[in-house]
Amino acid sequence: MGLFDIFKGDKTGTEQGMHPHFAFVTSLLYMMGADGEYDHEEIGQLLSVIGGQKKGNKIYVGGNNDDLMSKAIKYVNKNSVDQFLREAAHVLTDAQKMCILVNLIDSSLSDGEAEIEEQQLFKKFLNAFGISEERFKPFFEVIVLKNDRSVFLNTNHQKNKNGYKVELSKY
């Protein structure tokens, strides 16, 4: 770090630099915008995990998360996801990475399906975090099950057949 680097401003958009909670919120914003639109379901998902509410066209985030959200939005607008992943991957524990990944899948499926751009972005996160698809598969299955409400709407759904048992794969 050079003597005059302190005058360059805050590259990450946070006073503390990259930290886990900031990485969590920023990850969700990148996933929400992956397909070029911010769906109501994705906004609802974001607000459910960080706290807050939507009133009309405005989003209100409570407490300290309002500042965090503002900084994360600024960061996303200034930095590529690749830059973000380089900065975030080394500050996160394995549990934090898995938490982010589970929430990313949940967000991408919240509007009914994961768009191709969301799928590609998720693979970037897996690779950057050093998590294999095989290891993540059981978590994915749970989120898919959580979001598959067709089991209530379609009595002929394959998973509703007599004797079908929901089980998780092992990695």
Side-chain angles (χ1 to χ4, degrees):
M1 180 164 153
L3 184 60
F4 293 96
D5 286 348
I6 61 172
F7 297 108
K8 289 184 180 176
D10 188 2
K11 186 175 119 188
T12 65
T14 69
E15 284 95 26
Q16 301 175 18
M18 186 61 64
H19 59 87
H21 199 207
F22 179 77
F24 174 60
V25 173
T26 305
S27 296
L28 289 168
L29 289 173
Y30 277 115
M31 182 57 76
M32 288 172 57
D35 62 359
E37 57 188 27
Y38 293 89
D39 296 325
H40 295 289
E41 297 87 358
E42 292 169 331
I43 293 170
Q45 176 69 20
L46 174 68
L47 294 175
S48 74
V49 296
I50 67 166
Q53 57 186 316
K54 184 177 179 191
K55 293 181 181 176
N57 289 333
K58 294 199 173 217
I59 296 173
Y60 299 93
V61 181
N64 294 336
N65 287 339
D66 196 36
D67 189 45
L68 179 66
M69 176 69 87
S70 175
K71 289 175 181 175
I73 290 170
K74 287 177 187 172
Y75 182 93
V76 168
N77 288 331
K78 288 195 310 188
N79 297 281
S80 72
V81 69
D82 294 321
Q83 174 65 32
F84 166 73
L85 289 169
R86 282 191 297 274
E87 292 179 29
H90 73 278
V91 301
L92 299 168
T93 66
D94 185 68
Q96 291 165 342
K97 290 173 184 176
M98 293 300 282
C99 180
I100 287 172
L101 292 170
V102 167
N103 277 279
L104 291 180
I105 285 295
D106 202 19
S107 177
S108 70
L109 294 173
S110 66
D111 61 354
E113 66 179 311
E115 303 296 334
I116 190 71
E117 299 89 351
E118 293 169 330
Q119 294 174 36
Q120 291 168 344
L121 180 60
F122 187 76
K123 286 181 182 178
K124 278 188 174 193
F125 272 84
L126 280 175
N127 290 334
F129 289 175
I131 308 293
S132 70
E133 284 188 25
E134 181 181 336
R135 177 177 174 210
F136 191 76
K137 187 176 180 182
F139 299 92
F140 180 80
E141 291 173 1
V142 169
I143 298 300
V144 168
L145 176 66
K146 172 196 173 275
N147 288 295
D148 183 10
R149 299 198 180 75
S150 67
V151 295
F152 298 106
L153 304 173
N154 179 0
T155 55
N156 294 322
H157 193 291
Q158 182 175 343
K159 293 178 182 177
N160 289 334
K161 291 185 178 176
N162 195 16
Y164 181 86
K165 187 175 180 181
V166 175
E167 294 179 337
L168 295 178
S169 62
K170 296 179 181 182
Y171 76 94

